[in-house]
């Protein structure tokens, strides 16, 4: 693969500039208002979404046949560097987690009836969703032990269980629930994914504060209990027992979506750090003249570019039909560390100002800490990468990236 394969076409270069201009005109100036997460903020989100849709910048993660404006992973990676610079960008353009991942699997595995009832309002921005997989009593690194069950009773599933960190569940129209439906099957064939309306009797949703942030609506992380919840059998995605297969199709792209947005966060923090280093004076000169600060800037530049190229490489391979599991795991743990380190350095250069709401850095920093945990902790992704490489050597081969 040539580096030129990772460069966007002129058309997408122009589209990226359109997203950048929209962010500068409409999103950055409204970050403080959006961050209040009150009724006025919700109304503002609706107004900005209307502007984004009118500008043809809507749902860039999904292809046109699913109702989006996307043209593949590589193109989306370039756009997401602009979208991800603000935590609110993804919501404004309707490509936010977890709706993006849910939309993708509904497009890939949903029946026509499911697409009409659940995918269409999701893509149109008329509804939100949540993904209900993680459980408090089971390690998220080993989901084969999930306890939530769905038992057939005539023409219905009866769901019982306890989930948490079901992000964005407050105010969502429906969730996709991972539950044991085939208890006697092998571990990776025991689970199914079932669509559950949020208002179904027996569904109890409670937001859980994270790092002191309670959130509202889309920004919540919720504890969800299912007690005798009944939904039709046809609400299953794919076939019973397909839960893990579908989860891999969802989580792989979902992880790279996160990293794409993190690139925007890294770049914005980097720019803030450089600007502050040039303007802030201490001990007889600007911080930019201090060797420690120069090292932080150089290290950050190298690490961001490494993340960018690793991400574009993985996106290119996905567009070529490769699942790119090793590449996705590699960038997931590497980019999570770089994200944290670049923002941390930027805060340090800003000093006490970096801890206030005078810059976006404090909010970015709080958000960045979760990156090392959600969608698979760093330790698991390192294990995946090393095992795959060592298996190749054990079989007499040599691991090559390319």
């Amino acid at each position: 693969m040539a580096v030129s394969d990772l460069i966007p076409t002129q058309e997408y270069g122009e589209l990226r500039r359109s997203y950048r201009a929209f962010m500068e005109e409409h999103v950055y100036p409204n970050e403080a208002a959006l961050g209040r997460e009150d009724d006025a903020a919700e109304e503002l989100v609706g107004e900005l979404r209307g502007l984004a849709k009118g500008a043809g910048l809507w749902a860039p993660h999904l292809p046109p046949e699913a109702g989006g404006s996307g043209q593949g992973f590589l193109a989306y990676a370039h756009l997401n560097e602009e979208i991800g610079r603000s935590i609110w960008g993804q919501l404004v353009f309707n490509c936010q987690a977890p709706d993006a991942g849910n939309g993708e699997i509904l497009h890939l595995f949903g029946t026509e009836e499911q697409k009409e009832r659940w995918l269409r309002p999701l893509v149109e921005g008329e509804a939100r969703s949540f993904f209900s997989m993680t459980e408090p009593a089971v390690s998220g690194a080993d989901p084969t032990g999930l306890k939530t069950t769905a038992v057939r009773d005539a023409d219905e599933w009866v769901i019982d269980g306890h989930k948490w960190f079901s992000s964005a569940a407050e105010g969502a129209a429906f969730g996709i629930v991972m539950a044991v439906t085939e208890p006697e099957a092998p571990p990776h064939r025991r689970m199914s994914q079932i669509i559950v309306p949020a208002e179904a009797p027996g569904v109890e949703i409670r937001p859980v504060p994270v790092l002191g942030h309670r959130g509202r609506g889309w920004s919540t992380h919720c504890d969800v209990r299912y007690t005798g919840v009944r939904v039709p059998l046809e609400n299953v995605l794919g076939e019973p027992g397909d839960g893990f297969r579908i989860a891999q199709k969802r989580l792989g792209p979902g992880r790279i979506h996160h990293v794409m947005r993190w690139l925007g966060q890294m770049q914005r923090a980097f720019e803030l750090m450089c600007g502050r280093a040039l303007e802030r004076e201490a001990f007889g000169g600007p911080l930019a003249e201090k060797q420690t600060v120069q090292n932080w800037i150089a290290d950050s530049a190298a690490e961001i570019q490494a993340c960018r190229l690793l991400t574009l490489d993985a996106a290119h391979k996905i567009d070529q039909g490769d699942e790119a599991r090793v590449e996705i795991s590699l960038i997931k743990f590497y980019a999570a560390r770089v994200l944290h380190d670049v923002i941390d350095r930027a805060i340090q250069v800003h000093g006490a100002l970096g801890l206030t709401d005078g810059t976006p850095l404090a909010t970015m920093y709080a958000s960045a800490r979760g990156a090392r945990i959600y969608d698979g902790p760093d330790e698991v992704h390192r294990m995946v990468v090393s095992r795959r490489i060592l298996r190749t050597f054990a079989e007499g081969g040599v691991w090559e990236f390319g």
Side-chain angles (χ1 to χ4, degrees), residues 2 12-13 47 50 61 81 83 125 142 168 280 291 371 380 383 389:
Y12 259 81
E47 293 173 5
H61 62 295
E81 273 211 55
I83 296 168
D142 182 17
R280 182 66 165 177
Q291 187 176 36
V380 171
M383 180 180 67
I389 292 172

Side-chain angles (χ1 to χ4, degrees), residues 124-357:
E124 289 297 319
E126 299 168 357
R128 290 190 296 99
S129 65
F130 63 98
F131 189 64
S132 207
M133 180 172 177
T134 305
E135 298 181 0
V138 179
S139 170
D142 182 17
T144 58
L146 294 176
K147 306 297 184 184
T148 297
T149 61
V151 178
R152 295 172 181 81
D153 182 23
D155 59 353
E156 294 180 314
W157 295 108
V158 182
I159 304 172
D160 290 278
H162 181 195
K163 303 284 188 179
W164 75 341
F165 280 85
S166 293
S167 298
E170 184 183 62
F174 68 95
I176 296 178
V177 182
M178 187 83 126
V180 177
T181 60
E182 320 300 314
E184 304 305 319
H188 289 89
R189 293 293 303 169
R190 297 174 66 236
M191 313 286 179
S192 300
Q193 291 191 23
I194 301 172
I195 304 168
V196 177
E199 75 276 8
V203 177
E204 180 184 355
I205 297 172
R206 180 179 64 87
V208 177
V210 176
L211 291 176
H213 178 242
R214 156 60 166 79
R216 172 174 172 170
W218 169 68
S219 71
T220 55
H221 302 282
C222 297
D223 181 286
V224 185
R225 293 182 182 271
Y226 302 91
T227 306
V229 178
R230 290 179 173 270
V231 299
L233 291 179
E234 57 264 28
N235 278 26
V236 70
L237 272 176
E239 298 294 330
D242 280 349
F244 272 97
R245 180 173 71 90
I246 296 174
Q248 287 303 315
K249 288 288 186 181
R250 182 191 188 281
L251 294 174
R255 288 164 183 144
I256 197 170
H257 286 176
H258 284 311
V259 177
M260 291 171 180
R261 288 188 288 267
W262 297 347
L263 284 166
Q265 294 276 292
M266 295 174 201
Q267 185 66 33
R268 191 177 185 191
F270 179 73
E271 292 167 9
L272 289 168
M273 175 169 56
C274 292
R276 180 68 170 178
L278 287 167
E279 71 182 19
R280 182 66 165 177
E281 299 237 346
F283 301 103
L287 291 178
E289 293 180 355
K290 315 306 179 188
Q291 187 176 36
T292 295
V293 175
Q294 291 172 350
N295 288 340
W296 289 342
I297 290 171
D299 289 346
S300 297
E303 291 165 353
I304 292 171
Q305 185 64 354
C307 285
R308 180 175 290 116
L309 292 174
L310 287 168
T311 302
L312 295 176
D313 175 55
H316 175 73
K317 288 177 178 173
I318 290 174
D319 277 343
Q320 302 304 307
D322 191 331
E323 292 189 352
R325 290 190 181 183
V326 170
E327 289 80 2
I328 289 173
S329 284
L330 194 153
I331 60 172
K332 173 61 170 64
F333 75 76
Y334 181 70
R337 180 185 64 77
V338 173
L339 174 69
H340 171 273
D341 289 353
V342 173
I343 297 173
D344 185 70
R345 293 166 188 152
I347 290 174
Q348 199 71 8
V349 169
H350 281 74
L353 175 62
L355 302 176
T356 73
D357 290 339

Side-chain angles (χ1 to χ4, degrees), residues 75-146:
Y76 186 44
H78 287 282
L79 300 182
N80 241 340
E81 273 211 55
E82 303 299 334
I83 296 168
R85 287 171 64 93
S86 170
I87 62 172
W88 302 104
Q90 56 183 303
L91 185 62
V92 168
F93 296 112
N94 197 34
C95 56
Q96 70 278 3
D99 295 321
N102 288 345
E104 287 173 337
I105 60 175
L106 280 166
H107 173 56
L108 290 173
F109 299 101
T111 64
E112 291 306 312
E113 291 76 15
Q114 289 171 345
K115 290 177 183 178
E116 176 60 26
R117 181 173 180 186
W118 308 110
L119 177 60
R120 187 196 58 76
L122 203 63
V123 178
E124 289 297 319
E126 299 168 357
R128 290 190 296 99
S129 65
F130 63 98
F131 189 64
S132 207
M133 180 172 177
T134 305
E135 298 181 0
V138 179
S139 170
D142 182 17
T144 58
L146 294 176

